[in-house]
Amino acid sequence: MNKNAVRRVGKANYLARSNHSGIDDNNATFSALTMQQKVPTDLLALEPSTSQQAESMDYLDLPSAVVVDGNGVVTAPHLQPEKDERHATRKSTIFAMLSLEILMILLQHADFLTQQKLRKVCKYWRAVLNLSDLQESVWLDSQSLIGTHDFVAEVYRPRQLWSFTLPRTLSITYNGLFYQRKEMDGEASRVLRKFADRCPNLVTLDLRGLYLKECIDDWNVFFRGVPYSLTVSASQIVFGMLDVPEMRNGVAQEPMKPHRRCRRRTGSGPTVDLLHAVRQVELNPANSVFDALRNSVEASRLDAVREWVEDCATVLMKDQRWLGFVRAESLPSPAIHRISSEWGDFEVVTEPAEVSPQKVVNGQDYFTLLKFAAYILTRGDIALPRPTPFKFDFETDRFYRLMGGVSFHADFFRRLHRGKKVIKMASVFLQPVRHYSKKAAINHVLVIGGGLMGSGIAQITAAAGMKVTLVDQSQDVLKKAVSGIESSLGKVARKQFGEDKEKADKFVKTAVELIQTTTDAQQPAQFADLIIEAIVENLDTKKTLFTSLDKAASNHTIFTSNTSSLSITDIAAATKRQDRFGGLHFFSPVPMMKLVEVVRIEGTSDATFDALFDFAKKVGKVPVACKDTPGFIVNRLLVPYIMEAVRMLERGDASAEDIDTAMKLGAGYPMGPLELADFVGLDVCKMIIDGWHKNDKAQPLFFPSPMLNKLVGEGKLGRKSGSGFYDYKAQQAKQAKSGR
Ligand SMILES: CCCCCCCCCCCCC[C@H](O)CC(=O)SCCNC(=O)CCNC(=O)[C@H](O)C(C)(C)COP(=O)(O)OP(=O)(O)OC[C@H]1O[C@@H](n2cnc3c(N)ncnc32)[C@H](O)[C@@H]1OP(=O)(O)O
Ligand SMILES: NC(=O)c1ccc[n+]([C@@H]2O[C@H](COP(=O)([O-])OP(=O)(O)OC[C@H]3O[C@@H](n4cnc5c(N)ncnc54)[C@H](O)[C@@H]3O)[C@@H](O)[C@H]2O)c1
């Protein structure tokens, strides 16, 4: 480890001064803490505020944790990860930019203060976020991003940005971008979109800066994918930022003015904070939602809080506010205009804010919020609302949903640092979060295997509006798959839109455009929310694939296999993500068969199972729940049935045609058993039966079939190869000619 990596600083100098955000009290904070608490003397504190300092600190070399207030990072562009080759190999390095305030809290509660004990910090941090792998979390305090969008775009290239493989968390404090609103249109919003694309499990965005209308559009884009979040952040109703005017009946009698300390500066600062205060305040103490909450918390009626949480959808509907980003309370608009004309570098947008009186927050309000959040965090038994109660209505922009995650803005702590109380509260906050995220959002699906099943799965997934990456071993197979998908989508479109060719074409085009193909599964695995494996029915091959995917994929990614006959448990054993593993057994032809068996192994978490169930519904299927028993439900019955038909044929008891006709007309099956075996693929049938035979040699039902083996040996795999029990060549040639 580089000697310079850890700087042991003197007591009076724990952290460099934070020169952003209009608050210069970090040293004061630390002094206060030093007096009150046993503050360490060998604290690792990296907050390089000059590039010189930053250079000497070389945090990329740290073994397990880096605590950097992002402010410093901007001044040290030479620390761009990609410029440092070591970065690429240093997977064990945690490049976490924790906010200074959180660090302070950690310091109070983690007696970690030696380099060796840094892991303890990680533990705490993990506890806060319930991250299973801190290595993949990045805390971006992007106050630092002010005026540095190029830098950001440069540094956080998709392949380089670790947060792109985040399991669940990326926190972006986004106020800086407000100040630089002109840039917001271009580079920054491009970067933002990338974040949003790549971090569908984004937990918290504190978008203080997204005040401007054009920013709000970005905001929309941003939040489409945010599944888990309750943001509690009223902090920007800032103490010390405003000269508080006389209030009558809760209404400011004159426009608020920026505090003299907070005159215009060249960084993020009061403008941002002030506007945040008027525009984007979550759980705003001035609203009735907050009152209800406060009353409950203060009266220690925790059940009422629970009710409140569970009921918040209703409350919000009634109040026409959003939880999380509650529709803003607003300062009296003259105040906005005044500030606007004084500071003059931003546009005032009054829409869609509702104008209503703004109360000034007092310390008690903060505590209430803090208590509330701490309570939510620490009560594992609270059933936090699932997304469903929140009508996630893109049309009306009600896009924010309350779910399992809770995030604080660090300003809670900043503002309260003087009281011991906050430390106490923070200790509550730091309790492990047991009940964290619920269901994963599935926006990007990686389908591996572009054969019969994989291409069908890719088709229906894209048709349902999700991004798909389809992987197979050769470009030829992929080309064939895409052309098959196009033609199959054409049939669906014809059925759906009849004569309306324009609509039909658009439907096909939109879906096809959502499908990308590649022969490399590793790269897209980093960005997928769900992986569906539909490759050859061979346990070793599947395990090899999953082992490599487990390394490449993001932590949050759910893995599934579409296996017909193998044990999902056996396949999942190749990975370290038993909780995010399950079976998704589709039926052939995928676009037409309505069933999906959702298979649960012992380790499958509820969240995973729910997400898979939901996914099946989202792609238009009817899911059924299955245990991981051989053949699940359908194949347990289907395999013996088809097998008996093949043996009947082998014995010469009846012809293929008669067996099939008999079962169609006598038992009402849409296809006869041999037709079906051809349809499924005789190689698939053989692999199933061979596998089961291997597992249970004595079971006569599973004895190999010479006829099946012969056909497969001759490359007669059924429909897909042009012949099997039947010959399809003539039929296929006819279809090709007629274009059907
Ligand atoms: C001794 C050792 C032996 C070993 C044996 C071991 C065997 C083990 C076998 C187990 C295999 C398991 C495999 C797997 O795990 C599980 C399975 O998938 S099992 C297979 C399940 N599938 C079936 O059972 C299919 C049964 N067949 C049907 O239901 C129908 O035949 C059909 C496939 C739905 C087709 O219906 P038809 O009416 O016949 O077909 P049409 O061609 O007329 O089409 C009807 C209608 O649909 C439209 N259409 C056609 N294709 C598509 C498409 N791709 N997408 C969308 N729409 C499509 C078509 O245009 C028609 O529309 P319409 O004209 O009606 O408007
Ligand atoms: N055929 C069915 O009716 C059916 C139904 C349900 C489930 N399944 C299951 O789905 C899976 C796929 O079946 P199918 O019928 O689509 O088979 P298929 O032979 O049509 O397709 C398999 C595809 O996987 C590709 N492949 C093989 N190894 C690969 C790898 N390591 N990486 C990427 N691609 C790879 C092959 O090139 C091939 O294109 C099997 O597990 C099968 O048991 C099949």
Side-chain angles (χ1 to χ4, degrees), residues 25 365 424 535 568 723:
D25 57 2
D365 291 333
K424 214 165 154 192
I535 65 166
I568 303 288
S723 65

Side-chain angles (χ1 to χ4, degrees), residues 269-479:
T271 313
V272 171
D273 280 347
L274 179 62
L275 287 174
H276 182 61
V278 299
R279 184 51 202 247
Q280 182 249 307
V281 175
E282 307 93 323
L283 294 179
N284 189 319
N287 66 40
S288 61
V289 176
F290 183 83
D291 280 344
L293 173 66
R294 174 169 43 205
N295 294 338
S296 304
V297 174
E298 284 177 3
S300 294
R301 293 207 318 268
L302 296 181
D303 284 348
V305 178
R306 178 203 303 246
E307 261 167 44
W308 181 85
V309 175
E310 283 168 355
D311 200 36
C312 58
T314 333
V315 177
L316 291 170
M317 288 298 183
K318 199 174 85 208
D319 283 17
Q320 284 293 293
R321 295 185 178 98
W322 306 317
L323 185 72
F325 291 88
V326 175
R327 211 166 236 241
E329 301 295 330
S330 177
L331 279 172
S333 58
I336 302 177
H337 287 290
R338 165 103 174 269
I339 295 160
S340 155
S341 63
E342 267 187 25
W343 295 1
D345 63 343
F346 58 89
E347 208 173 84
V348 175
V349 180
T350 50
E351 281 302 311
E354 292 170 356
V355 177
S356 62
Q358 171 72 42
K359 282 187 204 164
V360 175
V361 187
N362 60 38
Q364 201 51 44
D365 291 333
Y366 279 105
F367 280 120
T368 304
L369 287 171
L370 189 57
K371 273 190 204 169
F372 163 67
Y375 176 69
I376 296 299
L377 275 168
T378 52
R379 289 295 301 252
D381 57 340
I382 281 194
L384 286 167
R386 299 223 167 177
T388 32
F390 291 79
K391 292 282 177 250
F392 199 71
D393 182 352
F394 293 122
E395 298 305 313
T396 59
D397 278 359
R398 302 242 169 90
F399 48 79
Y400 206 80
R401 299 178 285 179
L402 170 64
M403 291 183 63
V406 179
S407 150
F408 289 95
H409 189 274
D411 276 9
F412 271 137
F413 304 115
R414 193 211 297 273
R415 312 289 173 212
L416 291 173
H417 72 269
R418 283 184 188 85
K420 280 189 179 163
K421 208 168 172 183
V422 68
I423 305 296
K424 214 165 154 192
M425 289 313 303
S427 71
V428 181
F429 170 64
L430 288 171
Q431 298 295 314
V433 182
R434 279 168 291 156
H435 198 81
Y436 192 65
S437 48
K438 303 271 187 197
K439 239 180 290 183
I442 292 173
N443 299 311
H444 185 171
V445 180
L446 177 60
V447 179
I448 308 187
L452 183 68
M453 297 305 288
S455 55
I457 296 166
Q459 175 189 324
I460 57 168
T461 307
M466 284 165 270
K467 275 201 245 173
V468 180
T469 305
L470 182 62
V471 180
D472 207 300
Q473 288 167 320
S474 81
Q475 286 298 347
D476 283 352
V477 176
L478 289 168
K479 256 191 214 151

Side-chain angles (χ1 to χ4, degrees), residues 447 449-459 470 472 477 480-481 484-485 488 534-535 562 586-591 676-684 717 719-720:
V447 179
L452 183 68
M453 297 305 288
S455 55
I457 296 166
Q459 175 189 324
L470 182 62
D472 207 300
V477 176
K480 200 173 149 207
I485 289 171
S488 179
I535 65 166
N562 180 51
F586 288 86
F587 291 80
S588 170
V590 178
L676 185 57
D678 269 355
F679 188 71
V680 165
L682 298 187
D683 51 341
V684 175
L717 308 182
R719 274 204 207 191
K720 63 182 164 192

Side-chain angles (χ1 to χ4, degrees), residues 562-575:
N562 180 51
T563 179
S564 299
S565 63
L566 300 171
S567 147
I568 303 288
T569 309
D570 289 351
I571 302 172
T575 71

Side-chain angles (χ1 to χ4, degrees), residues 453 459 488-489 491-492 495 562-565 585-589 591-593 634-635 638-639 642-644 646-647 650 670-671 676-677 679-680 684-686 688-689 701 703-705 708 740:
M453 297 305 288
Q459 175 189 324
S488 179
L489 280 168
K491 289 182 194 166
V492 176
K495 273 176 111 173
N562 180 51
T563 179
S564 299
S565 63
H585 186 214
F586 288 86
F587 291 80
S588 170
M592 293 166 82
M593 301 300 285
V634 172
N635 287 347
L638 196 59
V639 170
I642 296 182
M643 264 177 6
E644 245 347 89
V646 176
R647 294 195 204 288
E650 276 176 338
M671 280 177 174
L676 185 57
F679 188 71
V680 165
V684 175
C685 292
K686 177 171 159 52
I688 295 173
I689 206 67
L701 271 177
F703 285 165
S705 148
L708 183 72
R740 277 203 72 206

